[in-house]
Amino acid sequence: MTLTRRSFIGTGLATGALLQAPMVGAQGRPRVVVIGGGAGGATMARYLAKDSEGGLDITLVEANPIYTTCFFSNLYLGGFRDFESLQHGYSRLSDMGITVITDTATAVDRAARSVTLAGGQSLIYDRLVLAPGIDFREGSVPGWSLSDQDIMPHAYKAGPQTLLLKAQIEAMPQGGVFAMIAPPNPYRCPPGPYERISMVAHLLKQSNPTAKILLIDPKEKFSKQALFEEGWQTHYPGMIERIGPDFGGASAEVRPATMEVVVDGEAMKVDCCNVIPGQVAGRIAALAGVTDDSGWAPVMPETMASRVDDTVWVLGDASAQGDMPKSGFSANAQAKVAANALRGQLLGSRIFPARYSNTCWSLIAPDDGVKVGASYEPTPEKIASVESFVSQTGEDAALRKATYEESLGWYAGITADIFG
Amino acid sequence: MSGWRGLLLTLVLAAVGSLPAAAESLGDESRGAVLFNRECSVCHRIGPDAENRIGPRLTGLFGRRAGAVPGFEYSKSMARMGNDGLTWTLETLEAYVENPKALISGTRMNYRGLKDAAARADLLAFLRLHSDRPQNIPEAEPTARKTDPDLDAAVLAIKGDRDYGEYLSAECTTCHQRDGTDQGIPSITRWPEEDFVVAMHAYKQRLRPHPVMQMMASRLSNDEIAALAAFFADQD
């Protein structure tokens, strides 16, 4: 009830405030508070700081002092990267004049334009940017709740969960069973679960070749399906079994206490179980009252400003924007459009047309990389796909190797673009 | 038979109207041989027993994947284009011979390019003689062959809006590193403006093979390509 009333007041104030632009904060500079230091939030903070040259007072709030990217974390599971190579600090953002606070936002009062942090601090903003990524939908997988994550890890927010999942895979007995409960749409990184299956298969093929992989999937189809299935056939024949919705994949239950998975009424003992539940926007978006019934935060396709309150902007996975997949690449692209528009709004700088694009690379086996991508443009309703491409089945080894090497270059490029 | 074909071709050309005359017959092979000796033979050999020299042997060039002659040490750029799927056809060879850097930015072929369209047609006709099945080239009707990829001088003369280029460049730096590091993805900094422009148009016209780059270039207008070129020219 309070949220409804607040959001009503907030919208009213926002409309009034637009008439008084440019905004001036207490120290004479407009204040931008960014919640979340991943591909969306850190890129936003960095581009705002870089291009406004001191014209904005920018604060970045992130729970972790060192950020671990979820993208490429599957390559750590497969043994292709060190865990450390996924980790990035914020010192270069601090050096640019951004105030980086290691804390978690627990409340947003849009009427007062303030954010409360778990540590007790309160931040006043002229513009608030929410880039909190995902949280898990309660009850999405029967039998599993977040308190079971140490037994059945999700490893879908990179960090300790990623390390735990890898340790559990390595501890599997010879000939054991690895199970994954794949998530329903929409979720972060559409090819992610299937790249993970590939990486687990690669790892097991070397250390535990008689092990089995059970992929329990609520979806009829999945991203790059033909490419993954071809690759699994080639590299891991007989190792991977997928149970789709026709065979109970959409109603699976787990029993963490006994390490069981129940599909179609039949309980199976497994040795490692990766539960990737259904997802919603990171919790702070709902607490701020900018999400809708879908659990995601609808945004304006031109700018990524919230449809509920145009002093609040939502980036990346948490946003409901249309056709772009929830990916680090998308979040980074959205942040650069948003930074240009937000800067123009606050400082009167030139606002250029929105440009969005995305490419997702996946590794199936050593030197066997594939990719899918698209370009997008804003329409009044949504961010709409314009043109797309996807790797083809039967491509030669040299192209697949080049695609993998390209993905390494992309990781280096995008992390430099995000973290400086 | 050939008379019929010639007549049909004339009709097709008359219907299309805008095709250059060069598309009708490729060029003069003997003039092409003279050109080959003058322009290419310092580095390249051609013929049944030709071997690699400074450049790779050019026998059987049509239909071959770029960077694929065994035993020849190619530039990283050429090898990458070959992996991406660049194959030598009339269309790609014409673009390459006209301006090698338009197609392969880092090519080791130190050649300024053959700007005269008739001369290129002659040279390609000569190269075709030394291919596996010259009679099959081009494989489709000549009308399927794209017109000259030449860029209008006016397109090359556009003065780019550097600030807009800087904004657009944010799309590039998601993958290409700002510091010019070339790791899996080529460097795009410190690039002469004209080379940048012709390279982007080569992607836009799908002469260069890479799907991501084709997609990125396809929605860039002439002004936007010029804007990006203006920005990247002074990045180091």
Side-chain angles (χ1 to χ4, degrees):
Chain A
M1 277 322 241
T2 317
L3 271 181
T4 316
R5 203 170 128 254
R6 268 197 195 150
S7 68
F8 175 73
I9 295 167
T11 312
L13 283 180
T15 314
L18 271 185
L19 303 172
Q20 320 160 2
M23 313 286 312
V24 178
Q27 293 111 35
R29 295 187 300 167
R31 291 155 302 187
V32 179
V33 173
V34 182
I35 309 291
T43 303
M44 182 79 173
R46 185 173 159 266
Y47 271 72
L48 286 175
K50 173 171 83 68
D51 295 333
S52 69
E53 291 165 351
L56 295 172
D57 176 353
I58 304 160
T59 303
L60 176 65
V61 180
E62 161 59 39
N64 305 289
I66 304 285
Y67 188 86
T68 308
T69 62
C70 211
F71 49 95
F72 265 38
S73 64
N74 284 332
L75 271 60
Y76 162 74
L77 294 177
F80 292 90
R81 283 188 91 91
D82 292 338
F83 192 71
E84 292 68 33
S85 77
L86 307 174
Q87 298 196 302
H88 306 272
Y90 293 98
S91 62
R92 284 182 294 278
L93 297 190
S94 300
D95 292 346
M96 296 174 84
I98 298 165
T99 306
V100 180
I101 300 178
T102 306
D103 206 336
T104 310
T106 53
V108 173
D109 183 339
R110 289 195 283 114
R113 290 199 181 159
S114 79
V115 176
T116 307
L117 306 185
Q121 197 175 347
S122 168
L123 303 169
I124 301 295
Y125 63 82
D126 293 303
R127 291 291 182 278
L128 175 65
V129 179
L130 298 177
I134 54 155
D135 266 306
F136 299 116
R137 193 184 285 278
E138 287 288 323
S140 162
V141 177
W144 192 91
S145 70
L146 203 54
S147 59
D148 296 311
Q149 66 175 352
D150 293 342
I151 304 166
M152 293 186 171
H154 54 78
Y156 228 59
K157 296 181 185 184
Q161 278 278 298
T162 317
L163 294 166
L164 175 65
L165 181 63
K166 181 158 184 172
Q168 289 189 355
I169 298 164
E170 287 173 336
M172 281 169 56
Q174 288 296 309
V177 177
F178 171 93
M180 173 193 283
I181 312 288
N185 290 320
Y187 61 95
R188 158 181 285 183
C189 189
Y194 310 97
E195 181 186 57
R196 179 172 294 175
I197 289 289
S198 309
M199 292 296 94
V200 172
H202 170 72
L203 194 65
L204 292 174
K205 186 180 174 180
Q206 298 159 83
S207 59
N208 192 348
T210 54
K212 294 283 181 222
I213 295 173
L214 202 53
L215 167 56
I216 298 155
D217 199 337
K219 302 181 295 298
E220 291 285 353
K221 294 184 297 187
F222 59 88
S223 172
K224 300 179 187 161
Q225 183 162 2
L227 297 165
F228 281 116
E229 287 178 346
E230 176 194 53
W232 295 344
Q233 199 63 247
T234 307
H235 303 292
Y236 318 113
M239 195 177 217
I240 300 163
E241 186 192 348
R242 176 167 178 265
I243 300 174
D246 293 348
F247 298 91
S251 55
E253 177 195 334
V254 295
R255 294 174 184 161
T258 51
M259 280 306 284
E260 283 178 305
V261 175
V262 187
V263 181
D264 225 5
E266 193 186 330
M268 281 171 288
K269 190 104 176 110
V270 299
D271 300 288
C272 177
C273 189
N274 177 203
V275 176
I276 309 176
Q279 298 161 24
V280 290
R283 190 159 296 107
I284 193 68
L287 293 173
V290 296
T291 54
D292 64 15
D293 292 344
S294 71
W296 308 98
V299 293
M300 304 297 289
E302 280 282 351
T303 60
M304 304 299 294
S306 165
R307 285 191 187 268
V308 175
D309 178 343
D310 60 10
T311 63
V312 179
W313 300 50
V314 187
L315 302 174
D317 294 353
S319 67
Q321 33 67 28
D323 294 347
M324 295 182 80
K326 298 184 184 300
S327 72
F329 196 124
S330 292
N332 169 265
Q334 291 160 7
K336 289 182 278 199
V337 169
N340 176 256
L342 192 150
R343 202 162 51 83
Q345 216 180 75
L346 294 178
L347 301 175
S349 55
R350 288 172 73 188
I351 299 179
F352 297 111
R355 288 291 168 129
Y356 300 110
S357 57
N358 176 67
T359 299
C360 288
W361 284 266
S362 300
L363 186 63
I364 301 176
D367 290 332
D368 192 357
V370 292
K371 63 189 169 193
V372 62
S375 57
Y376 304 86
E377 65 183 24
T379 67
E381 295 77 37
K382 63 172 183 175
I383 296 179
S385 174
V386 179
E387 189 184 338
S388 65
F389 67 87
V390 60
S391 295
Q392 302 299 303
T393 52
E395 285 173 342
D396 64 46
L399 176 54
R400 289 294 177 87
K401 182 168 190 281
T403 302
Y404 172 57
E405 285 167 358
E406 192 175 276
S407 75
L408 302 178
W410 165 75
Y411 187 87
I414 196 171
T415 50
D417 202 41
I418 297 168
F419 301 103
Chain B
M1 203 54 192
S2 66
W4 270 110
R5 199 181 266 176
L7 178 61
L8 275 176
L9 186 57
T10 312
L11 288 173
V12 169
L13 282 175
V16 174
S18 62
L19 278 176
E24 186 177 353
S25 67
L26 198 48
D28 184 292
E29 291 140 1
S30 51
R31 282 203 303 267
V34 174
L35 271 171
F36 184 86
N37 282 330
R38 195 182 77 204
E39 301 282 314
C40 318
S41 66
V42 175
C43 303
H44 291 285
R45 292 286 181 271
I46 195 163
D49 305 319
E51 289 179 359
N52 293 337
R53 301 290 291 260
I54 294 168
R57 72 197 289 258
L58 296 181
T59 319
L61 183 57
F62 283 86
R64 189 158 80 202
R65 184 68 77 91
V69 170
F72 187 78
E73 189 76 19
Y74 287 96
S75 65
K76 200 169 172 180
S77 248
M78 181 69 84
R80 178 179 275 144
M81 277 295 168
N83 286 337
D84 285 347
L86 180 67
T87 299
W88 295 121
T89 64
L90 279 178
E91 202 183 313
T92 54
L93 273 174
E94 179 152 299
Y96 188 60
V97 172
E98 183 190 2
N99 179 359
K101 285 192 164 47
L103 214 55
I104 319 282
S105 300
T107 182
R108 285 206 196 102
M109 186 164 86
N110 190 11
Y111 181 58
R112 70 199 172 284
L114 192 56
K115 303 301 175 201
D116 180 68
R120 283 200 302 278
D122 293 341
L123 182 62
L124 292 180
F126 171 73
L127 291 173
R128 181 173 66 170
L129 274 185
H130 292 277
S131 284
D132 293 345
R133 285 181 300 281
Q135 69 281 9
N136 290 351
I137 299 168
E139 289 177 12
E141 292 294 320
T143 49
R145 186 180 159 211
K146 271 200 203 160
T147 55
D148 196 304
D150 246 352
L151 287 176
D152 202 310
V155 172
L156 288 173
I158 296 171
K159 186 161 166 31
D161 174 347
R162 195 193 167 283
D163 288 349
Y164 188 26
E166 180 170 10
Y167 167 73
L168 291 170
S169 78
E171 242 191 334
C172 312
T173 53
T174 304
C175 300
H176 297 273
Q177 292 192 65
R178 288 188 316 276
D179 64 5
T181 310
D182 177 349
Q183 182 198 343
I185 290 176
S187 161
I188 52 170
T189 53
R190 273 175 288 181
W191 206 348
E193 282 188 54
E194 183 169 329
D195 287 359
F196 183 94
V197 171
V198 294
M200 290 307 287
H201 280 280
Y203 281 119
K204 192 171 166 149
Q205 296 174 21
R206 300 183 179 263
L207 288 167
R208 288 187 178 218
H210 197 274
V212 180
M213 285 307 303
Q214 286 181 351
M215 183 181 81
M216 301 311 283
S218 78
R219 66 170 164 180
L220 292 173
S221 67
N222 293 339
D223 285 338
E224 288 170 339
I225 289 177
L228 279 165
F231 174 71
F232 279 115
D234 66 11
Q235 289 303 294
D236 44 35

